[in-house]
Amino acid sequence: MAESGKIDPMHQFAIEPLFGTDHLSLGGFNIAFTNSALYMVLAAVVLWIFVIGGMKRELVPGRWQMAVEYMTGFIKNLLIANIGEKGRKYIPYVFSLFMFILLANLLGLLPLGLIGMHPFTFTSHFTATGVLAIMSFSIVLIVGFWKHGFHFFSLFVPHGTPIAMVVPLFFIELVSFMVRPFSLGLRLFVAMTAGHVLLKVLAGFVINSANASPALGLTVGTASFILMIGISALEMLVAVIQAYVFALLTSVYLNDAENLH
Amino acid sequence: MPQIAQIADTYSSQIFWLLLTFGFVFFVIGLGMVPKVQGTADARDAKISGDLDAAKAAFARADEAEADYRVRDAQNRTAAQAVVAKAKSEAAKASEVKLAAADAEVASKIAAAEARIQAASTAALAEIETVAVDAARDMVARISGVETSDDAARNAVKAALAHG
């Protein structure tokens, strides 16, 4: 623990069981309902409420229905741009993935600390992002082998490869393919963690400098606070972009599985 | 870093709750609700493009009808002009015929009148001859006391008239 006035920027990532469910278990595995699980449930419920508002199915949509249709249309266009018309069948999955990650990122940024609650961003845990990444990767593998059988391995040998280069290229492409779930999961985890740590470090500067002396508080504290405002805006952008990147890469990988090269 | 420090204690709970919540999101929202939302949007897009196509087709039909109307208008005009020209030529012919008939009548009347005048002048000449013969016999009788025959007097008058 960093001893900078007892403000630990990593404490926000600590997982704590809630409601005395510490020892809840299933088949010998601990499944305690934690603050992380609470935010997963919150993200799912908020998304549910959001989409319910789009279920009016009116020909001339209201604002809410328009917003929901905009999001589904956005995912549809993303999939059609990357995969083609065959991409339509992945709308439910990629929409779920994108909106779930987006809401997780945004809910974790809510300034709930002001009313004494502790916001938690479960996308800053690679146990969570890893599951999502493995899920996307598994779908790519299943679709690829289902549609193309062993021909799917031709993905690792680009067109026009000289015979001598086939074997080395196959292994290079195989490695780059196998790295995908890690890059997918780690990218989101790192981006979220880094942003939240930065915000907490700057918040620590504000508090510690103000506690040290008024002069330091006015100079270092004010500068850090202004920086925090800018970085908060940046973090909201990152929250959207990381969700988009996850959905985009998933659709790019799905394109490999659907159409090979 | 709690993400690593707590991994042994929390991974099963994290995975369990993530699968549960994401499962709900995918099966209930993604599969249950999103296709309906997207279906509404697709139906609207289809309706809009269908309406636009219908409007375009209606425009094309209107243009066609206008072109058709123009063609028929032009045809009607030429037909009307033909009718007018025909009527004009017929009227001209009819008046020509009437004029010719009137001319013929006038000519025949003139000819009859000329014949009458000729007849009248011939009769008048004949009368003058008779009168002249009588006058000549009278003159001869008065001057010489000779009673001339009618034929001699007539021959003398004819000769005089022919010379004179």
Side-chain angles (χ1 to χ4, degrees):
Chain A
M1 187 184 280
E3 276 301 322
S4 57
K6 295 190 178 68
I7 293 169
D8 176 11
M10 302 310 282
H11 179 67
Q12 56 177 324
F13 303 118
I15 292 175
E16 292 152 6
L18 300 173
F19 315 124
T21 55
D22 303 37
H23 301 294
L24 195 67
S25 68
L26 184 77
F29 291 103
N30 180 289
I31 55 159
F33 189 79
T34 60
N35 51 352
S36 174
L38 174 67
Y39 272 85
M40 293 172 190
V41 171
L42 275 178
V45 169
V46 170
L47 178 56
W48 192 36
I49 293 167
F50 175 66
V51 179
I52 283 174
M55 295 287 285
K56 292 196 207 98
R57 315 198 68 179
E58 281 167 12
L59 186 63
V60 179
R63 288 179 200 176
W64 196 323
Q65 190 187 341
M66 194 82 191
V68 179
E69 282 172 7
Y70 178 81
M71 295 316 295
T72 61
F74 170 69
I75 297 298
K76 183 198 78 179
N77 291 339
L78 174 74
L79 285 166
I80 286 177
N82 280 300
I83 305 175
E85 279 299 319
K86 284 185 283 183
R88 276 179 183 273
K89 57 178 172 288
Y90 301 109
I91 291 175
Y93 176 69
V94 178
F95 178 83
S96 303
L97 198 62
F98 175 74
M99 292 305 287
F100 192 57
I101 294 171
L102 179 66
L103 283 170
N105 294 349
L106 290 177
L107 287 175
L109 277 173
L110 286 180
L112 295 177
L114 292 174
I115 53 168
M117 290 166 73
H118 292 286
F120 185 88
T121 317
F122 67 82
T123 43
S124 64
H125 276 257
F126 57 80
T127 40
T129 60
V131 170
L132 294 174
I134 289 168
M135 216 161 3
S136 285
F137 189 67
S138 308
I139 290 173
V140 169
L141 285 182
I142 291 166
V143 169
F145 282 110
W146 185 277
K147 282 187 79 88
H148 305 291
F150 285 107
H151 195 62
F152 185 52
F153 284 112
S154 71
L155 188 64
F156 304 137
V157 185
H159 276 297
T161 309
I163 300 295
M165 292 302 290
V166 166
V167 173
L169 253 184
F170 181 87
F171 283 106
I172 292 169
E173 289 280 329
L174 181 66
V175 168
S176 84
F177 184 77
M178 297 309 289
V179 161
R180 281 175 178 182
F182 297 98
S183 68
L184 203 54
L186 289 177
R187 181 183 297 110
L188 179 56
F189 146 69
V190 166
M192 286 296 116
T193 303
H196 283 266
V197 168
L198 187 57
L199 281 176
K200 284 296 184 300
V201 167
L202 287 170
F205 283 174
V206 175
I207 293 164
N208 289 334
S209 64
N211 283 342
S213 77
L216 270 178
L218 280 174
T219 51
V220 177
T222 310
S224 300
F225 189 70
I226 291 167
L227 199 55
M228 275 184 75
I229 294 171
I231 289 175
S232 295
L234 189 68
E235 277 307 299
M236 282 194 266
L237 186 68
V238 168
V240 178
I241 286 173
Q242 287 301 325
Y244 175 64
V245 165
F246 206 104
L248 177 68
L249 285 176
T250 298
S251 61
V252 167
Y253 298 160
L254 282 169
N255 177 47
D256 284 348
E258 274 282 340
N259 302 321
L260 293 178
H261 284 291
Chain B
M1 200 174 198
Q3 286 97 324
I4 297 167
Q6 291 185 309
I7 190 164
D9 297 330
T10 59
Y11 77 95
S12 53
S13 148
Q14 285 280 79
I15 293 168
F16 173 79
W17 287 104
L18 185 79
L19 289 178
L20 198 70
T21 50
F22 189 75
F24 168 80
V25 167
F26 177 63
F27 287 107
V28 176
I29 300 172
L31 287 180
M33 296 158 83
V34 168
K36 287 178 189 159
V37 173
Q38 189 54 40
T40 310
D42 287 344
R44 181 183 313 118
D45 290 349
K47 178 156 175 50
I48 288 171
S49 65
D51 286 357
L52 281 179
D53 287 349
K56 260 183 211 160
F59 257 120
R61 270 207 307 281
D63 283 349
E64 218 171 87
E66 203 192 330
D68 199 40
Y69 159 76
R70 278 179 198 286
V71 167
R72 255 186 302 158
D73 189 46
Q75 277 173 355
N76 289 346
R77 264 172 210 280
T78 40
Q81 275 163 356
V83 168
V84 167
K86 198 179 163 203
K88 265 187 190 167
S89 71
E90 267 171 15
K93 263 184 205 162
S95 62
E96 227 169 79
V97 168
K98 271 184 191 163
L99 271 178
D103 276 353
E105 200 177 331
V106 167
S108 71
K109 273 184 183 166
I110 288 171
E114 275 176 350
R116 273 206 310 277
I117 290 166
Q118 188 74 40
S121 70
T122 318
L125 272 178
E127 216 158 302
I128 285 170
E129 217 178 76
T130 321
V131 170
V133 167
D134 285 348
R137 278 175 68 191
D138 271 354
M139 279 193 293
V140 169
R142 283 222 188 136
I143 294 167
S144 60
V146 180
E147 215 39 59
T148 51
S149 72
D150 203 45
D151 287 335
R154 188 171 304 267
N155 286 339
V157 166
K158 267 187 183 165
L161 278 174
H163 286 117

